[in-house]
Coordinates of all heavy atoms in Angstrom, one line a residue:
Y864 N -9.3 -15.2 -5.8 CA -8.9 -14.6 -7.0 C -7.4 -14.3 -7.0 O -6.9 -13.6 -6.1 CB -9.7 -13.3 -7.2 CG -9.3 -12.6 -8.5 CD1 -9.7 -13.1 -9.7 CD2 -8.7 -11.4 -8.4 CE1 -9.4 -12.4 -10.9 CE2 -8.4 -10.7 -9.6 CZ -8.8 -11.2 -10.8 OH -8.5 -10.5 -12.0
K865 N -6.7 -14.8 -8.0 CA -5.3 -14.5 -8.1 C -4.8 -14.5 -9.6 O -4.4 -15.5 -10.1 CB -4.5 -15.6 -7.4 CG -3.0 -15.3 -7.3 CD -2.2 -16.4 -6.6 CE -0.7 -16.2 -6.7 NZ -0.2 -14.9 -6.3
P866 N -5.0 -13.3 -10.2 CA -4.5 -13.2 -11.6 C -3.0 -13.1 -11.6 O -2.4 -13.0 -10.5 CB -5.2 -11.9 -12.0 CG -5.3 -11.1 -10.8 CD -5.7 -12.1 -9.7
G867 N -2.4 -13.1 -12.8 CA -1.0 -13.1 -12.9 C -0.3 -11.8 -12.4 O 0.7 -11.9 -11.7
A868 N -0.9 -10.7 -12.7 CA -0.3 -9.4 -12.4 C -1.3 -8.8 -11.3 O -2.2 -8.1 -11.7 CB -0.2 -8.5 -13.6
V869 N -0.9 -8.9 -10.1 CA -1.7 -8.4 -9.0 C -1.0 -7.3 -8.2 O 0.2 -7.5 -7.9 CB -2.1 -9.5 -8.0 CG1 -2.8 -9.0 -6.8 CG2 -3.0 -10.6 -8.7
C870 N -1.7 -6.2 -8.0 CA -1.1 -5.2 -7.1 C -1.9 -5.3 -5.8 O -3.2 -5.4 -5.8 CB -1.2 -3.8 -7.7 SG -0.1 -3.5 -9.0
M871 N -1.2 -5.1 -4.7 CA -1.9 -5.0 -3.4 C -1.4 -3.8 -2.7 O -0.3 -3.3 -3.0 CB -1.6 -6.3 -2.6 CG -2.0 -7.6 -3.3 SD -1.8 -9.1 -2.3 CE -3.2 -8.9 -1.1
A872 N -2.3 -3.3 -1.8 CA -2.0 -2.1 -1.2 C -2.6 -2.0 0.2 O -3.5 -2.7 0.5 CB -2.4 -0.9 -2.0
W873 N -2.1 -1.1 1.0 CA -2.6 -0.7 2.3 C -3.1 0.7 2.2 O -2.4 1.6 1.8 CB -1.6 -0.9 3.4 CG -1.3 -2.3 3.8 CD1 -0.2 -3.0 3.4 CD2 -2.0 -3.2 4.6 NE1 -0.2 -4.2 3.9 CE2 -1.3 -4.4 4.7 CE3 -3.2 -3.1 5.3 CZ2 -1.7 -5.5 5.4 CZ3 -3.6 -4.1 6.1 CH2 -2.9 -5.3 6.1
F874 N -4.4 0.9 2.7 CA -5.0 2.2 2.9 C -5.3 2.4 4.3 O -5.4 1.4 5.1 CB -6.2 2.3 2.0 CG -5.9 2.4 0.5 CD1 -5.6 1.3 -0.2 CD2 -6.0 3.6 -0.1 CE1 -5.3 1.4 -1.6 CE2 -5.8 3.8 -1.5 CZ -5.4 2.6 -2.2
R875 N -5.6 3.6 4.7 CA -6.0 3.9 6.0 C -7.0 5.0 6.1 O -7.0 5.9 5.2 CB -4.8 4.2 7.0 CG -4.1 5.5 6.7 CD -2.9 5.6 7.6 NE -2.1 6.8 7.3 CZ -1.0 7.1 7.9 NH1 -0.4 6.3 8.7 NH2 -0.4 8.3 7.6
Q876 N -7.9 5.0 7.0 CA -8.9 6.0 7.2 C -9.0 6.4 8.6 O -9.4 5.5 9.5 CB -10.2 5.6 6.6 CG -11.3 6.6 6.5 CD -12.4 6.3 5.7 OE1 -12.7 5.1 5.4 NE2 -13.2 7.2 5.2
A877 N -8.7 7.6 9.0 CA -8.9 8.1 10.3 C -10.3 8.8 10.4 O -10.9 9.1 9.4 CB -7.9 9.2 10.6
P878 N -10.9 8.9 11.6 CA -12.2 9.5 11.7 C -12.3 10.8 11.1 O -11.5 11.7 11.4 CB -12.4 9.5 13.3 CG -11.6 8.4 13.8 CD -10.4 8.4 12.9
G879 N -13.4 11.0 10.3 CA -13.6 12.3 9.7 C -12.7 12.6 8.5 O -12.7 13.7 8.0
K880 N -11.8 11.7 8.1 CA -10.9 11.9 7.0 C -11.2 10.9 5.8 O -11.8 9.9 6.0 CB -9.5 11.8 7.5 CG -9.0 12.8 8.5 CD -7.6 12.7 8.8 CE -7.1 13.7 9.7 NZ -5.6 13.6 10.0
E881 N -10.7 11.3 4.7 CA -10.8 10.4 3.5 C -9.8 9.2 3.7 O -8.8 9.3 4.3 CB -10.4 11.2 2.3 CG -11.3 12.4 2.0 CD -12.7 12.0 1.6 OE1 -12.9 10.9 1.0 OE2 -13.6 12.8 1.8
R882 N -10.2 8.2 3.0 CA -9.3 7.0 3.0 C -8.1 7.3 2.1 O -8.3 7.8 0.9 CB -10.1 5.8 2.4 CG -9.3 4.5 2.6 CD -10.2 3.3 2.2 NE -11.4 3.2 3.1 CZ -12.2 2.2 3.1 NH1 -12.0 1.2 2.2 NH2 -13.3 2.2 3.8
E883 N -6.9 7.1 2.6 CA -5.7 7.4 1.8 C -4.8 6.2 1.7 O -4.7 5.3 2.5 CB -4.9 8.5 2.6 CG -4.4 8.1 3.9 CD -3.6 9.2 4.6 OE1 -3.3 10.2 4.0 OE2 -3.3 9.0 5.8
G884 N -4.1 6.2 0.5 CA -3.1 5.2 0.3 C -1.9 5.3 1.1 O -1.4 6.4 1.3
V885 N -1.5 4.2 1.7 CA -0.3 4.1 2.5 C 0.9 3.5 1.8 O 2.0 4.1 1.8 CB -0.6 3.4 3.8 CG1 0.6 3.2 4.7 CG2 -1.7 4.1 4.6
A886 N 0.7 2.4 1.3 CA 1.8 1.6 0.6 C 1.2 0.7 -0.4 O 0.1 0.1 -0.2 CB 2.7 0.9 1.6
A887 N 1.9 0.5 -1.5 CA 1.4 -0.4 -2.5 C 2.6 -1.3 -3.1 O 3.7 -0.8 -3.0 CB 0.7 0.3 -3.7
I888 N 2.3 -2.4 -3.6 CA 3.3 -3.3 -4.1 C 2.7 -4.1 -5.3 O 1.6 -4.6 -5.2 CB 3.8 -4.2 -3.0 CG1 5.0 -5.1 -3.5 CG2 2.7 -5.1 -2.4 CD1 5.7 -5.8 -2.3
N889 N 3.5 -4.3 -6.3 CA 3.1 -5.1 -7.4 C 3.7 -6.5 -7.4 O 4.5 -6.8 -6.4 CB 3.4 -4.4 -8.8 CG 4.9 -4.3 -9.1 OD1 5.8 -4.9 -8.4 ND2 5.2 -3.5 -10.1
R890 N 3.5 -7.3 -8.4 CA 3.9 -8.7 -8.3 C 5.4 -8.8 -8.3 O 6.0 -9.8 -7.7 CB 3.4 -9.5 -9.6 CG 3.8 -10.9 -9.6 CD 3.1 -11.6 -10.8 NE 3.7 -13.0 -10.9 CZ 3.3 -14.0 -10.2 NH1 2.4 -13.9 -9.3 NH2 3.9 -15.2 -10.4
N891 N 6.1 -7.9 -8.9 CA 7.6 -7.9 -9.0 C 8.2 -7.4 -7.7 O 9.5 -7.5 -7.6 CB 8.1 -7.1 -10.2 CG 7.7 -7.7 -11.5 OD1 7.6 -8.9 -11.6 ND2 7.4 -6.9 -12.5
G892 N 7.4 -6.9 -6.8 CA 8.0 -6.4 -5.5 C 8.3 -4.9 -5.6 O 8.9 -4.4 -4.6
N893 N 8.0 -4.2 -6.7 CA 8.1 -2.8 -6.7 C 7.1 -2.1 -5.8 O 6.0 -2.5 -5.7 CB 7.9 -2.2 -8.1 CG 8.9 -2.8 -9.1 OD1 8.5 -3.3 -10.1 ND2 10.2 -2.7 -8.8
T894 N 7.6 -1.1 -5.0 CA 6.7 -0.5 -4.0 C 6.5 1.0 -4.2 O 7.3 1.6 -4.9 CB 7.3 -0.7 -2.6 OG1 8.7 -0.2 -2.6 CG2 7.4 -2.2 -2.3
N895 N 5.5 1.5 -3.6 CA 5.2 2.9 -3.6 C 4.6 3.3 -2.2 O 3.7 2.6 -1.7 CB 4.1 3.2 -4.7 CG 3.9 4.7 -4.9 OD1 4.7 5.5 -4.5 ND2 2.8 5.0 -5.6
Y896 N 5.2 4.3 -1.6 CA 4.8 4.7 -0.3 C 4.3 6.1 -0.3 O 4.8 7.0 -1.0 CB 6.0 4.6 0.7 CG 6.5 3.2 0.9 CD1 7.5 2.7 0.2 CD2 5.9 2.4 1.9 CE1 8.0 1.4 0.4 CE2 6.3 1.1 2.1 CZ 7.4 0.6 1.4 OH 7.8 -0.7 1.6
A897 N 3.4 6.4 0.6 CA 3.0 7.8 0.9 C 4.2 8.4 1.6 O 4.9 7.8 2.3 CB 1.7 7.8 1.8
D898 N 4.3 9.7 1.3 CA 5.4 10.5 1.9 C 5.4 10.4 3.4 O 6.5 10.4 4.1 CB 5.4 11.9 1.4 CG 5.8 12.1 0.0 OD1 6.4 11.2 -0.6 OD2 5.5 13.2 -0.6
S899 N 4.2 10.4 4.0 CA 4.1 10.4 5.4 C 4.6 9.1 6.1 O 4.9 9.2 7.3 CB 2.6 10.6 5.8 OG 1.8 9.6 5.3
V900 N 4.8 8.0 5.4 CA 5.2 6.8 6.0 C 6.6 6.3 5.5 O 7.1 5.3 6.0 CB 4.2 5.7 5.8 CG1 2.8 6.1 6.3 CG2 4.1 5.2 4.4
K901 N 7.2 7.0 4.5 CA 8.5 6.6 4.0 C 9.5 6.5 5.1 O 9.6 7.4 5.9 CB 8.9 7.5 2.9 CG 8.2 7.4 1.6 CD 8.7 8.3 0.5 CE 8.0 8.2 -0.8 NZ 8.4 9.1 -1.8
G902 N 10.3 5.4 5.0 CA 11.3 5.2 6.0 C 10.8 4.6 7.3 O 11.6 4.2 8.2
R903 N 9.5 4.5 7.5 CA 8.9 3.9 8.7 C 8.1 2.7 8.5 O 8.1 1.8 9.3 CB 8.0 4.9 9.4 CG 8.7 6.2 9.8 CD 7.8 7.1 10.7 NE 6.6 7.5 10.0 CZ 5.3 7.2 10.3 NH1 5.1 6.4 11.4 NH2 4.3 7.6 9.6
F904 N 7.5 2.6 7.3 CA 6.6 1.4 7.0 C 7.3 0.6 5.9 O 7.9 1.2 5.0 CB 5.2 1.9 6.5 CG 4.4 2.5 7.6 CD1 4.8 2.8 8.8 CD2 3.0 2.7 7.3 CE1 4.0 3.3 9.8 CE2 2.2 3.3 8.3 CZ 2.7 3.6 9.5
T905 N 7.1 -0.7 5.9 CA 7.6 -1.5 4.8 C 6.5 -2.5 4.4 O 5.9 -3.2 5.2 CB 8.8 -2.3 5.3 OG1 9.9 -1.4 5.7 CG2 9.3 -3.2 4.1
I906 N 6.2 -2.5 3.1 CA 5.2 -3.4 2.6 C 5.9 -4.6 1.9 O 6.9 -4.4 1.3 CB 4.2 -2.7 1.6 CG1 3.1 -3.6 1.2 CG2 5.0 -2.2 0.4 CD1 2.0 -2.8 0.4
S907 N 5.3 -5.7 2.1 CA 5.9 -6.9 1.4 C 4.8 -7.9 1.1 O 3.7 -7.8 1.6 CB 7.0 -7.6 2.3 OG 6.4 -8.0 3.6
R908 N 5.1 -8.9 0.3 CA 4.1 -9.8 -0.1 C 4.7 -11.2 -0.4 O 5.9 -11.3 -0.7 CB 3.3 -9.4 -1.4 CG 4.2 -9.3 -2.6 CD 3.5 -8.7 -3.8 NE 2.4 -9.5 -4.3 CZ 1.5 -9.1 -5.2 NH1 1.7 -7.9 -5.8 NH2 0.5 -9.9 -5.6

């Protein structure tokens, strides 16, 4: 499946915790990061 406007993201889940968003990216390369990983993680596509 590959529509024209696709967003992709990384989530993570630690034991006993809720699944949380880590980083996301849209087709244009715009990104969004959780505060906890800003400056350390880089998402690309």
Side-chain angles (χ1 to χ4, degrees):
Y864 179 71
K865 185 178 172 56
V869 174
C870 287
M871 301 186 75
W873 289 99
F874 288 75
R875 66 186 182 186
Q876 187 167 22
K880 295 186 177 180
E881 301 288 336
R882 191 172 300 186
E883 63 176 352
V885 175
I888 186 168
N889 67 12
R890 179 176 173 80
N891 294 326
N893 300 127
T894 58
N895 188 16
Y896 294 94
D898 288 341
S899 60
V900 306
K901 285 181 179 178
R903 300 189 298 118
F904 291 9
T905 302
I906 188 171
S907 60
R908 66 187 293 174

